[in-house]
């Protein structure tokens, strides 16, 4: 009995030492979008890099960058083209705050690259002092993989330290947009609309259901989900009717 207890104690001590030597970090495995701190002086322009790490595989990604407009002015946004054949769609209005960045891909496989996604160039406003925060807000409904499954990313914001060098550690948090429910009166003759007309069929039949766009005000990107009663219907095909030009 003493020999068995001695072996168990030795094993426990071994495992304790093993854990101390090889610590586990949440950030080592969690998919993440992050911004590193940078330093500049009033009147300078600084490049702020948005990085993706532990990418599990995506074909669509969307997030907003929110910043302290009392100290910073966004002057440029550049796609670093690491997501394969993805098309980057950035906001045209650089004064928008939050500022939106999106990537979309029609590829038949996930993009799994890691590295610098985009570089944002900010001008530090005259007389600005202290630090200016820059945050990331993930748009979860527009971030998914080849199977159209939502892919969650933790986000870690950064800051521009103005005139001083400081080191900070930011705990990653997951931020997603929350859907809200509103009641809207639709005018079908003037309002932009996506609609599905009723169809009729019998048990065992296949029926074609058309999704129609009307009063289109002009778009370069469009995304929506179709939800149906799977206890009575089975989706067997989806066909693009190719009316949106080169989309």
């Amino acid at each position: 009995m003493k020999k068995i207890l001695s072996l168990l104690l030795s094993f426990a001590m071994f495992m304790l030492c093993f854990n101390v030597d090889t610590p586990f970090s949440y950030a080592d495995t969690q998919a993440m979008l992050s911004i590193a701190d940078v330093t500049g002086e009033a009147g300078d322009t600084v490049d702020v890099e948005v990085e993706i790490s532990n990418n599990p595989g995506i074909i669509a990604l969307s997030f907003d960058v929110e910043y302290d407009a009392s100290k910073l002015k966004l002057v440029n946004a550049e796609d670093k083209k690491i997501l394969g054949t993805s098309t980057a769609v950035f906001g045209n209005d650089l004064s928008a705050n939050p500022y939106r960045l999106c990537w979309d891909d029609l590829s038949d496989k996930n993009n799994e690259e890691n590295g610098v996604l985009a570089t944002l160039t900010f001008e530090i406003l005259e007389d600005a002092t202290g630090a200016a925060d820059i945050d990331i807000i993930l748009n979860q409904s527009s971030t998914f993989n080849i199977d159209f499954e939502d892919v969650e990313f933790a986000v870690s914001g950064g800051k521009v330290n103005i005139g001083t060098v400081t080191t900070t550690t930011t705990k990653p948090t997951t931020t997603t947009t929350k859907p809200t429910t509103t009641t809207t009166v639709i005018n079908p003759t003037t309002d932009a609309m996506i609609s599905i007309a009723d169809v009729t069929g019998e048990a065992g039949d296949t029926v074609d259901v058309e999704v129609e766009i009307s009063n289109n005000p002009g778009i370069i990107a469009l995304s929506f989900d179709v939800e149906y009663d799977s206890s009575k219907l089975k989706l067997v095909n989806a066909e693009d009717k190719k009316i949106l030009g080169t989309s």
Side-chain angles (χ1 to χ4, degrees):
M1 177 62 72
K2 291 183 178 179
K3 184 176 182 180
I4 293 175
L5 290 175
S6 178
L7 288 173
L8 290 175
L9 180 60
S10 297
F11 179 77
M13 292 297 292
F14 169 77
M15 292 303 295
L16 179 61
C17 293
F18 179 80
N19 288 334
V20 170
D21 290 340
T22 57
F24 175 79
S25 171
Y26 170 81
D28 290 339
T29 59
Q30 173 65 35
M32 184 176 295
L33 300 170
S34 60
I35 294 175
D37 293 353
V38 298
T39 300
E41 298 182 0
D44 287 351
T45 57
V46 291
D47 289 335
V48 175
E49 295 182 338
V50 182
E51 185 171 354
I52 185 172
S53 54
N54 301 317
N55 181 1
I58 53 176
I59 61 166
L61 172 64
S62 175
F63 58 87
D64 295 334
V65 173
E66 190 172 35
Y67 58 93
D68 186 345
S70 69
K71 299 178 181 180
L72 300 175
K73 177 183 178 181
L74 181 63
V75 295
N76 190 49
E78 179 186 0
D79 174 26
K80 302 308 289 186
K81 302 183 185 301
I82 70 168
L83 291 182
T85 57
S86 290
T87 298
V89 182
F90 294 175
N92 290 326
D93 183 6
L94 289 173
S95 66
N97 187 10
Y99 179 77
R100 179 155 295 184
L101 302 91
C102 301
W103 286 262
D104 193 17
D105 199 345
L106 298 178
S107 173
D108 59 357
K109 62 180 182 179
N110 285 319
N111 293 308
E112 299 179 347
E113 293 298 321
N114 294 292
V116 178
L117 273 173
T119 298
L120 304 176
T121 303
F122 289 93
E123 176 186 337
I124 303 175
L125 301 182
E126 296 292 343
D127 301 324
T129 59
D133 291 332
I134 306 174
D135 296 316
I136 298 174
I137 304 169
L138 180 69
N139 298 316
Q140 186 63 80
S141 62
S142 299
T143 301
F144 48 85
N145 61 23
I146 192 70
D147 298 315
F148 297 101
E149 299 168 336
D150 286 351
V151 177
E152 294 185 1
F153 283 85
V155 296
S156 179
K159 63 182 63 179
V160 177
N161 295 302
I162 303 171
T164 59
V165 179
T166 60
T167 301
T168 60
T169 301
T170 304
K171 182 180 179 180
T173 58
T174 301
T175 305
T176 60
T177 53
K178 296 182 178 179
T180 57
T181 302
T182 59
T183 301
T184 305
V185 178
I186 300 298
N187 184 340
T189 62
T190 60
D191 291 339
M193 183 178 297
I194 296 174
S195 60
I196 296 176
D198 294 347
V199 297
T200 302
E202 297 183 359
D205 286 353
T206 58
V207 292
D208 291 333
V209 176
E210 295 184 338
V211 181
E212 184 173 351
I213 186 171
S214 54
N215 302 315
N216 180 358
I219 54 176
I220 62 170
L222 174 64
S223 175
F224 59 87
D225 297 331
V226 175
E227 189 173 30
Y228 58 93
D229 186 346
S230 58
S231 68
K232 299 178 181 178
L233 299 174
K234 177 182 178 182
L235 181 64
V236 295
N237 187 49
E239 179 185 359
D240 175 22
K241 303 306 288 186
K242 302 185 185 302
I243 68 168
L244 294 182
T246 56
S247 295

